[in-house]
Structures are given as C-alpha cells and as structure tokens.
Amino acid sequence: MSVRSNRIHVLAAATALVLASTAAGSAFAAERVNLSGLQTAAKFDRFIVKYRDGSVERSSTANVQRALSTAASASGAKAKGAALGLKHLRRTAIGADVVRADRALDRAEAESLMRQIAADPNVDFVEVDVRRHRLLTPNDTHYGLQYGFNGTNGGIRADQAWDVATGTGAVVAVLDTGITPHGDLNANILPGYDFISDTFVSRDGNGRDSNPNDEGDWNNETECDQPGYDVGASDSSWHGTHVAGTVAAVTNNAKGVAGTAFNAKVVPVRVLGRCGGYDSDISDAIVWASGGTVSGVPANANPAEVINLSLGGGGACPSSYQNAINGAVGRGTTVVVAAGNESANVSTSTPANCANVIAVAATTSTGAKASYSNYGTGIDVSAPGDQIASTHNGGTTTQGAEQYVYMSGTSMASPHVAGVVALMQSAATTPKTPAEIESILKSTARALPGACSGGCGAGIINAKAAVDAVRGGTPGGGTQTYTNGTDVAIRDNATVESPITVSGRSGNAPSNASISVTIYHTYKGDLKVDLVAPDGSIYNLHNRTGSSTDNVIGTFTKNLSTEALNGTWKLRVNDNAGGDVGRIDTWSVTF
C-alpha cells in the first residue's frame, strides 16, 4: 500500500509538473503577442514578426515565408473559401520581418493570426504594424494658456480627441449676445439671426432681423433696475463672442486661441442685449436654431446638432422653455446649458433645471468645482470654466478692436461641452440622439481630481473617450462602456427594467466590472436595484438603504467573471412602497 501510495504521489507530482510547464508555455506565447495595436483601427493587413536569434527563420526569407504560411493556414481565416495568404515584405534594422496579409482582417481575425504566429517557440514577438498619424498640437499663440483642452488636472482631453475628430460638418448654435467680427472666428461663423424683439433691449433701433451683430449690452446705473433688483452700471460683456470662441475658434492658424471643435461651424443667435433677454425671445430662438418654424422668421438653413445656452436666471423651468427644448430635442438637437454662478443648488437656476438638457458645472484648472458654480443632483457633467482664454472685443460700450481675454463662469464651461458634442457628432457614422449623447458624456466622464461639494454630476467630460465611444472603439485598457440613456419611469410598488445588449465580444466579463447608475427617486429607501446578467443571475447594487434621502447615483464594482459578456444585461429596479415615484435616468456597464 505504501509503495502504491508513493507511486500515486509521484505520478501526481509529475502530472502537476507537466501541467505547469504547459501553462508556462502558453503564458510565454501570450507574452510574445502585443495586441494593443488592435485598438488603433478596425481592419489590419500588416504585422511585424521577430524571430529569435539563431532560429531557422532568421537564416533566410524562404524560411520566414514557410513559417508564416503555416501560421496563416492554422489561423483558419478564409476569404471566399480561399486560405489567407501572408507575404514577407522586408526585414527591419532590428532583425524583425514586416509581413502583409492578402486582405484586410478584422480584429478577431487579426488576433487569431497573431496568436497562431506566436505559438511558434522561435517567435520573439508579433505586433500590428500600426499606421501612425501626426498628433495635433495647435500653433495658436495663446494655446499654452488653454488648460481646458489638455489631459491633466482640469482638462477635457480634447487634444487627444483632435487626432480623430475636429467637428467637421457639425453646427453649434450659440444663443447669446450675438457676435462681433473677429479674425479668429469669422471663418467658422454661419448666418445667424437677431431674435430680440424689444428695441430697448436690442439697441439696434429695430426688431428681429437677420443681423446677429452684438450691439453691446452695456447699461447705465439705473436703466436695468427693477423693484427689489438693483443692477448697477456695466460695460459691454461681448459674452457671445467669448463663448463662440471656446466652441470653434479657428485653430492652428498661428494666431490667438484654439476652439474645442475648431472645424465645426457656429450659428450666432442674438437673444441677450441691454439688461438681458426675454424668455419669449429665447424660446423662439431655441425652436429656430434646431430647425423648427417661427412665424415671421425665415427658416434656419443650418439647423444645429447642439445648442449652447450660457444664460439663465432664477425660478422653476418656464413652460415656454420646456416646450421649446422638448421640440429641439425631438428634432435631434442636444441642448447644453450653463448651471449658473450663484453657488447654489442648480434646481433654483433656469434653464439648467429644465428637463432634457445637459446641465454643466464649472471646474478650475486643478479639477475642483469652481467656488461660484452651482451644484446638485441636477448637474449632468462638469467642464473647465475658470479663467478661460477666448476671443473678445476691446470696446467698453460699442465695438472696438478684436482681442483675447480670460473670463470665468459656468458660461465658459458649457461651450466646452457643446464643442465636445460637435466632435462626437462629426465622428459618428450616424447621428447620435440627444439621449445617446448625454449617456455617452456621462459614462465616459472622469472623476474630478479636485474637491466638489454638493454634486458635480458624472465628472469632467472626457473628449477622447466620448469620441472613441461614438466611433465604436474600446476607449482605454481594452474595455468598452455600454449605455442606456432612455428614461424608464419607476412606478409605486412596481418592478421595471432597462436593458443593454452586448454583442461581438468573446469570453467572460471581468472580476472588476463597473456599473454606473443614475436613478432619480425620492426616498431611496423604497428601492432595490439589481444588475441582471444574460443568464438571469442577479447582482445587487442597492437594497433599500438610505431611508428618506433621495436618488441612487453611483458606480458599483462587481465580480462578473462567471458571466458571458454577450447577451442582454438589465438594470432591475423594484419600488416597494407608495407615495414616491421617479425614473432610471441612465446607466452603463463597463467591461
């Protein structure tokens, strides 16, 4: 018995050793495959293969060709029934071989081929022969002052997005004080309109017309006063010109500043003049800018993909605004709104508190919430708004010479977001709906590196990740974010679900999958929130905690390694009480 026991023990040990060797061999093969290049394009036909010194392949091109043909045949890739062909092109200075497939391969085929090549123990490494492009660093003279575009601290990583999207073909309507002539803007300005109907406000001596020229919004000590509201004297702000420059200043022209979406076009719409602007004019302008019909006004020849509203005031969202916004969104226009500068809850600031808008808080160069910025659960995203350099005018009252100045406020944050929306739409194969745009902006945003008290939404927008998402890529680390931004009403004592379908992936989800949830509902203690995997497995995210506090907003990490990636994932919400209702606003899963 003891002999048999010993023999069994030895055999088990030997088997374990063999298995370990096999696993190590597989690991070594995996180390020889560099798959990162598969994230740079959708199709691939060139690869770099390096064989080890002293191997038979290094001795002749014929041996290289023979090894490649064997790997191609084993990979199983076929085109119209014919086996894949690989051709040796040349040997590089480091001794690696450049090879080309006889047809373009998709990512799955390319990965299969690369792994088959690496299975040869003589292979030192195999990688995609990536075609690189110049990285755009604008030569605008003040670009170095525009921290908002970089990838550090408070920046939105627009400088990384510009290599794949610049806003070409997108139109942004800027509803503001109008526009002044500026050499760093003129080329990107389309015909606009002056919607100010009151001649005191307009200062141009007439009513609505096709000239959106900024006549100056200066006022004396008393002319803007209202009962209980003392305004005081003010110089002209040239606010619309500054906002338009942040959206789409002409870029890489060795002059001035860069724009967020510098190949997009701006339709200037004048709605603010002396002492501000009326809701009736602003709501008409929203309709017109989005391609809707306004009586007595010619149709807008360039309906906007996105409207920027760097304006606001107190109170609840007026019906005139909400109806106009709903119509614009229904026509496919995304509406981006500054959150307000009262250091108060955004729920008190309109139109940021209207439904179907993207409300934007302002951050500083360090990525912290700006002290003046409004905050709260109504904030969707944040963007740079403090000390933003952009186009301007030097006139104190009437127009003077063009210039560049710093300005601060959520008015400066909002056009960064509007510009990124233009980048996204210019990169999309088919236009994204406003709901899709909002969902992607939220799911790709990054956490503020600085402090935020009160709520700054999903975080600082990430232009590169947002553009990657609309292009169908896998932004960063080989992961993909899938989002459902369609509102789902949560009724009393009911269970509702919001689905996301994943396809085209292989294998299982990771052990650290990220699930981001935004649910608006009074009394979060009423709610149970679960992630339901395609096979029906349930992963709890929130289970009736929080008592009378509102909303379930956060990101949860779950081990989903036993679940296949492909299939329909669901966010399931159960309301177990009466008297309080809400909605699933948006949710996403990243793996």
Side-chain angles (χ1 to χ4, degrees):
M1 291 293 293
S2 61
V3 174
R4 290 183 178 179
S5 177
N6 286 337
R7 286 181 177 174
I8 291 171
H9 179 74
V10 171
L11 286 171
T15 303
L17 180 61
V18 171
L19 290 174
S21 299
T22 303
S26 299
F28 292 150
E31 290 175 1
R32 296 193 291 265
V33 182
N34 180 359
L35 299 177
S36 62
L38 296 179
Q39 304 304 320
T40 63
K43 295 286 186 178
F44 311 89
D45 64 352
R46 287 170 60 112
F47 305 88
I48 301 172
V49 184
K50 185 176 184 298
Y51 291 92
R52 300 186 186 280
D53 293 342
S55 64
V56 294
E57 289 84 2
R58 289 295 292 275
S59 64
S60 72
T61 300
N63 288 337
V64 171
Q65 187 66 63
R66 189 177 299 110
L68 292 173
S69 297
T70 300
S73 177
S75 74
K78 294 181 181 295
K80 296 181 180 179
L84 175 69
L86 287 179
K87 181 180 180 181
H88 180 270
L89 297 181
R90 66 182 181 87
R91 180 158 287 179
T92 71
I94 65 169
D97 296 290
V98 181
V99 302
R100 183 173 62 200
D102 58 7
R103 67 179 178 86
L105 308 178
D106 63 25
R107 287 176 183 158
E109 292 173 319
E111 179 177 347
S112 176
L113 173 63
M114 292 168 71
R115 291 191 184 280
Q116 195 60 50
I117 292 173
D120 183 343
N122 285 338
V123 169
D124 193 17
F125 67 79
V126 56
E127 59 192 21
V128 177
D129 191 8
V130 177
R131 182 182 298 182
R132 305 291 180 179
H133 305 276
R134 65 182 178 88
L135 296 176
L136 176 63
T137 300
N139 62 10
D140 304 76
T141 51
H142 300 314
Y143 176 69
L145 305 176
Q146 294 181 279
Y147 73 87
F149 293 147
N150 63 37
T152 60
N153 296 327
I156 64 171
R157 300 178 181 173
D159 55 353
Q160 299 172 30
W162 290 333
D163 295 315
V164 292
T166 58
T168 301
V171 176
V172 182
V174 173
L175 277 58
D176 216 290
T177 63
I179 200 79
T180 64
H182 200 293
D184 219 8
L185 265 180
N186 295 341
N188 282 341
I189 300 299
L190 292 173
Y193 209 82
D194 179 359
F195 268 86
I196 300 177
S197 56
D198 184 278
T199 54
F200 171 82
V201 176
S202 69
R203 189 176 261 130
D204 60 3
N206 55 34
R208 294 178 171 179
D209 58 42
S210 60
N211 181 9
N213 183 61
D214 190 338
E215 303 291 342
D217 55 352
W218 61 276
N219 60 268
N220 65 29
E221 186 66 33
T222 60
E223 62 185 342
C224 295
D225 289 352
Q226 298 177 25
Y229 187 62
D230 184 5
V231 175
S234 176
D235 292 338
S236 290
S237 67
W238 314 118
H239 191 270
T241 299
H242 195 278
V243 169
T246 298
V247 173
V250 177
T251 301
N252 215 34
N253 60 344
K255 174 181 179 177
V257 295
T260 308
F262 51 78
N263 279 333
K265 301 299 183 183
V266 170
V267 171
V269 186
R270 188 173 181 237
V271 295
L272 302 177
R274 177 165 44 185
C275 304
Y278 287 104
D279 284 355
S280 55
D281 290 338
I282 295 169
S283 60
D284 274 357
I286 292 171
V287 172
W288 181 84
S290 61
T293 300
V294 177
S295 178
V297 178
N300 177 12
N302 302 286
E305 278 83 7
V306 54
I307 290 172
N308 185 84
L309 294 170
S310 288
L311 52 82
C317 177
S319 295
S320 57
Y321 276 179
Q322 193 61 71
N323 289 338
I325 289 167
N326 292 347
V329 169
R331 286 183 284 274
T333 302
T334 301
V335 181
V336 180
V337 184
N341 303 325
E342 295 77 35
S343 189
N345 195 295
V346 70
S347 61
T348 65
S349 181
T350 195
N353 58 5
C354 294
N356 290 330
V357 304
I358 298 175
V360 184
T363 55
T364 67
S365 60
T366 64
K369 184 183 80 69
S371 60
Y372 48 78
S373 177
N374 286 353
Y375 52 83
T377 57
I379 298 293
D380 293 301
V381 291
S382 298
D386 202 57
Q387 291 293 294
I388 302 301
S390 188
T391 47
H392 204 252
N393 189 275
T396 302
T397 54
T398 58
Q399 291 180 16
E402 66 178 48
Q403 65 176 18
Y404 304 88
V405 302
Y406 290 103
M407 294 180 74
S408 295
T410 57
S411 284
M412 284 62 252
S414 182
H416 281 89
V417 177
V420 170
V421 175
L423 294 179
M424 295 165 69
Q425 293 289 32
S426 73
T429 304
T430 56
K432 297 296 182 182
T433 67
E436 290 172 328
I437 290 290
E438 180 177 348
S439 296
I440 292 170
L441 285 173
K442 289 179 176 179
S443 65
T444 57
R446 61 188 179 93
L448 272 65
C452 172
S453 57
C456 290
I460 297 174
I461 57 168
N462 184 333
K464 177 61 166 64
V467 168
D468 283 346
V470 300
R471 294 174 72 230
T474 52
T479 60
Q480 175 70 61
T481 297
Y482 302 86
T483 302
N484 188 333
T486 302
D487 289 357
V488 177
I490 302 171
R491 303 177 299 277
D492 281 332
N493 293 300
T495 299
V496 298
E497 293 180 340
S498 176
I500 289 176
T501 300
V502 176
S503 62
R505 301 289 296 274
S506 60
N508 285 4
S511 60
N512 61 341
S514 177
I515 304 97
S516 295
V517 175
T518 299
I519 296 173
Y520 295 115
H521 190 287
T522 50
Y523 283 77
K524 64 191 292 186
D526 294 356
L527 301 182
K528 183 173 183 285
V529 182
D530 295 315
L531 175 71
V532 183
D535 68 354
S537 299
I538 295 174
Y539 298 83
N540 183 250
L541 307 179
H542 171 81
N543 195 8
R544 311 196 196 286
T545 59
S547 186
S548 61
T549 55
D550 297 341
N551 308 325
V552 180
I553 301 175
T555 300
F556 308 85
T557 301
K558 292 293 179 181
N559 182 353
L560 304 178
S561 58
T562 62
E563 306 293 342
L565 280 169
N566 288 337
T568 299
W569 298 78
K570 299 175 184 177
L571 188 72
R572 178 180 294 166
V573 180
N574 171 253
D575 182 326
N576 196 37
D580 294 280
V581 296
R583 72 181 190 276
I584 302 173
D585 183 69
T586 183
W587 75 283
S588 64
V589 59
T590 302
F591 40 50

